[in-house]
Amino acid sequence: MTTRKITIEPVSRVEGHGKVTILLDEEGQVSQARLHIVEFRGFERFIQGRPYWEVPVLVQRLCGICPVSHHLAAAKAMDGIVGVDQLTPTAEKMRRLMHYGQTLQSHALHFFHLVSPDLLFGFDADVAIRNVIGVAQKFPDLAVQGVMMRKYGQEIIKATAGKKIHGTGAVPGGINKNLSIAERDGFLKDLDQMLEWSRAALKIAKDYTVEHLETLADFGSFDSNHLSLVREDGAMDLYHGNLRAITKDGDKIFDQVDYQSYYKYIAEEVRSWSYMKFPFISELGPEDGWYRVGPLARVNTCDFIDTPEAESARQEFMALTNGKPNNITMAYHWARMIELLHAVEKIKELLNDSDLQGSDLMVKGERRGESVGLLEAPRGTLFHHYKVDENDQVTMANLIVSTTSNNVPMNLAVEGVAKKYLSGMEITEGLLNHVEVAIRAYDPCLSCATHALGQMPLVVELHDSQGNIVDQRSRG
Amino acid sequence: MSDKIKITIDGKAIEAELGQTILEAADAAGIYIPRLCAHKDLLPIGSCRVCTVIVDGRPQASCVKPVMDGMVIENDTEELLQHRRNIIDMMFVEGNHFCMFCEKSGNCELQALAYRFGITAPQYPFQFPEKDVDASHPDILLDHNRCIMCARCVRASQELDGKNVFQSIGRGFDRKIGVNGEKALGDTDMDVNDKAADICPVGCIIKKRVGFETPYGERLYDKEPIGSDIEKGATA
């Protein structure tokens, strides 16, 4: 028997296009497994020369799932370009409402539509049932909740950005509209229902994790550093804050770093087999400096959450690991649902704030040539860095998206699961889905990660030791 | 003036005045003839051909054709609509018109005509020409990617501003709007308050630093299709 290479292409139920390759040796043991991102995009290059005020609208086209993240991160950077460090209360709160609306819709989409088939039917259930249609047939209430929560979030985006996808709300130095009383009342009407469904989703994710803890603890899990923005008082803040990185044990690597100088703390490495870069914490180097971002990292790094129900859920979550960071890959789902509840609580807080009806929308200051905008996107910390010349044209752009930061972790999760579940086995679709389950935990957005052109879905290939393709499974 | 004459547009008899163009007479009667290069404050040049109508069986640019008594004009016909669609379509593929991130979206006459004509995607292949962006002026951006060569800016600068900032240069596919300056727009006497800064039907000449400040729903063509003002505001 010769060595073989399995390719999963496309990887399904993730955003964007990627593939997994798994190398098997003569004994059928997994010797290597990698997630390759095969899209190539050129946003950082082709926005050069464009006027800076166009960037928040242009660059959000990176993505159709959480374009608001790019819209707001770019707008935050452009606030700096127009010399604004503090927005008006109406502008900041409108942007926050937009951001929490998108966190709600993105997390709901991921949990209810992309992940629930694995959790409800099992990783190796019949593929004909293990999909969103299967969920709609067997658990119609859940499927409807997913759709309605996503709709609620999308309507908030429409009310704040002008459109459900690819709006124009955030402009350099502010926002172009406020929230009308009629819009506010429309959202308040359904708010309690959203809270109730968020609590129920959180319970599903928590119960699943706790009930399967033994399996999940060894399912693509590994110790890692974690990185996110935190507020000055250490609270979770998805829209704004300073950078904090912690070790697997919770020790701080750096804390309260002004993100304008992120490049002194984070570096990026390129590898030949992926279009996605590999970021790392500079002082630790590429070998040890990689880190995780996203819901798991955020719940791990923050000292507390400033909304009561999500905070209580966080304490329960942290109790599982005695207050130390939770390094279980599949715990991402639980953490994500804590954030879902947090987002709804924040939406409630904001809707009851009359600043949203204010009319002071924009401010301008003294022009600057360079600025950085960061926020916590649904999938993790998002970095936007621009230089703008005296003619108002962008001369440099650097984007580090959440999925890029999770590149090493996703590869480790893929390798861990492949070695544990595929070694020495006859490869079935159900077994290969285990690999995809590990990837899905990170809710990767492969389109964003490569800033790319291309179709969606992912692929798994089986190669022999000479690199010949022996088997291939693809969906999409 | 008593030089009233009768013409017919799409079977409807209307009164016109000698000296009017067909386009002007139609506007006054509340009949919209689509146009791009024509503008009420500028002399017509009959360049874009979007306003072409059939006059007594022959195609004519209505912005330059004077009315004559008894003219029988066809405007709103399937055949003319198809010709107009083709012209608009060619304008889209000959430039780099990315409506999705263009700040003129919602206020753009080219886009509004495409919507009015039901064009959802171009039928001709995109040319993706290489065009440059002139950002040298402190307050005005000149993005040649979006120019449709209507020459409104050329005429507005001359006729309304008493300047001569813009000129057409080059030939055929390479024709473009040039500026009368050492190198670029920043070297000319163009001022942000010039009429020429406000007259571009597309997103080629735009004022800097104000893009996207008008939210969706409040832009010119968000509520009604282009031409609605003429159709509702008949003056004759």
Side-chain angles (χ1 to χ4, degrees), chain B residues 77-107:
Chain B
T77 69
E78 189 52 41
E79 186 191 357
L80 281 170
L81 178 62
Q82 197 49 51
H83 284 312
R84 290 168 183 162
R85 278 197 189 117
N86 286 340
I87 294 169
I88 297 296
D89 215 323
M90 286 188 277
M91 286 180 182
F92 271 107
V93 301
E94 283 178 5
N96 296 310
H97 297 277
F98 299 105
C99 300
M100 69 290 275
F101 60 80
C102 177
E103 63 192 87
K104 192 79 175 195
S105 269
N107 297 313

Side-chain angles (χ1 to χ4, degrees), chain A residues 145-428:
Chain A
Q145 285 171 25
V147 171
M148 297 309 286
M149 291 181 87
R150 180 137 200 264
K151 182 169 191 287
Y152 189 86
Q154 294 282 36
E155 292 293 346
I156 285 182
I157 294 170
K158 186 182 174 193
T160 48
K163 263 171 51 175
K164 289 178 188 170
I165 304 174
H166 301 138
T168 60
V171 291
I175 193 91
N176 68 15
K177 78 184 286 284
N178 65 6
L179 193 76
S180 71
I181 299 283
E183 287 169 326
R184 182 199 68 186
D185 291 348
F187 293 126
L188 282 172
K189 185 166 59 69
D190 296 325
L191 191 71
D192 287 341
Q193 183 66 80
M194 294 304 133
L195 274 170
E196 193 184 316
W197 286 344
S198 303
R199 292 180 196 120
L202 170 62
K203 184 169 180 336
I204 294 172
K206 183 189 82 177
D207 291 351
Y208 181 86
T209 315
V210 173
E211 280 165 24
H212 298 82
L213 194 58
E214 206 174 318
T215 312
L216 301 184
D218 195 24
F219 188 89
S221 294
F222 44 83
D223 290 340
S224 77
N225 305 311
H226 300 270
L227 178 133
S228 81
L229 291 175
V230 291
R231 212 163 65 184
E232 280 178 7
D233 59 0
M236 173 186 280
D237 192 334
L238 301 180
Y239 177 74
H240 191 66
N242 295 318
L243 282 166
R244 172 183 285 178
I246 59 168
T247 66
K248 65 181 172 59
D249 298 315
D251 298 328
K252 294 187 176 69
I253 302 166
F254 52 75
D255 193 17
Q256 297 299 342
V257 166
D258 177 358
Y259 61 64
Q260 294 298 331
S261 58
Y262 79 93
Y263 49 86
K264 293 179 188 161
Y265 298 84
I266 306 285
E268 289 182 285
E269 187 185 45
V270 177
R271 295 182 196 172
S272 61
W273 47 273
S274 179
Y275 281 126
M276 192 155 68
K277 291 179 186 173
F278 290 80
F280 59 92
I281 294 165
S282 311
E283 69 171 276
L284 301 180
E287 284 302 309
D288 303 318
W290 54 272
Y291 53 89
R292 284 193 269 202
V293 296
L296 183 71
R298 289 190 287 249
V299 173
N300 280 333
T301 52
C302 75
D303 299 329
F304 67 99
I305 298 178
D306 68 346
T307 55
E309 293 194 49
E311 169 59 10
S312 148
R314 185 196 69 87
Q315 288 177 11
E316 244 183 304
F317 180 91
M318 296 308 288
L320 193 76
T321 47
N322 300 316
K324 293 283 186 190
N326 186 323
N327 285 295
I328 299 172
T329 287
M330 290 294 282
Y332 260 99
H333 299 304
W334 183 359
R336 193 171 288 115
M337 291 303 98
I338 293 173
E339 289 189 345
L340 180 84
L341 182 56
H342 172 60
V344 179
E345 287 183 291
K346 281 301 214 185
I347 289 168
K348 183 178 181 179
E349 197 179 295
L350 284 163
L351 289 176
N352 287 300
D353 188 330
S354 61
D355 278 345
L356 286 180
Q357 280 77 51
S359 55
D360 201 1
L361 304 181
M362 285 173 232
V363 278
K364 294 277 156 73
E366 198 173 322
R367 270 273 272 113
R368 298 173 197 157
E370 183 172 0
S371 183
V372 179
L374 254 72
L375 53 68
E376 286 295 331
R379 290 156 183 82
T381 317
L382 173 63
F383 301 67
H384 277 221
H385 180 189
Y386 303 97
K387 288 182 186 170
V388 178
D389 69 14
E390 66 281 4
N391 285 338
D392 300 324
Q393 290 174 289
V394 174
T395 55
M396 186 286 289
N398 186 37
L399 315 178
I400 308 176
V401 304
S402 343
T403 298
T404 311
S405 290
N406 278 335
N407 200 353
V408 169
M410 283 192 295
N411 273 286
L412 282 173
V414 162
E415 187 162 272
V417 170
K419 284 188 169 160
K420 183 172 169 64
Y421 289 92
L422 303 186
S423 280
M425 303 294 287
E426 187 189 334
I427 308 300
T428 63

Side-chain angles (χ1 to χ4, degrees), chain A residues 46 49-55 57-58 60-61 161-163 165-172 175-177 362 364 367 390-393, chain B residues 99-103 132-141 143 145-146 203 206-219:
Chain A
F46 66 65
R50 299 309 307 170
Y52 72 79
W53 56 89
E54 195 176 274
V55 173
V57 178
L58 196 171
Q60 64 178 334
R61 293 274 163 178
K163 263 171 51 175
I165 304 174
H166 301 138
T168 60
V171 291
I175 193 91
N176 68 15
K177 78 184 286 284
M362 285 173 232
K364 294 277 156 73
R367 270 273 272 113
E390 66 281 4
N391 285 338
D392 300 324
Q393 290 174 289
Chain B
C99 300
M100 69 290 275
F101 60 80
C102 177
E103 63 192 87
D132 50 356
V133 175
D134 179 350
S136 60
H137 194 282
D139 300 313
I140 299 161
L141 185 83
D143 186 346
N145 288 289
R146 302 164 179 164
I206 51 176
K207 291 182 181 173
K208 282 186 169 182
R209 299 179 290 277
V210 292
F212 305 105
E213 289 187 359
T214 307
Y216 284 105
E218 293 178 22
R219 302 170 311 172

Side-chain angles (χ1 to χ4, degrees), chain A residues 76 78-88 172-174 362-366 368:
Chain A
K76 287 180 80 177
M78 294 313 158
D79 293 343
I81 293 295
V82 297
V84 174
D85 295 317
Q86 183 62 54
L87 299 178
T88 67
M362 285 173 232
V363 278
K364 294 277 156 73
E366 198 173 322
R368 298 173 197 157

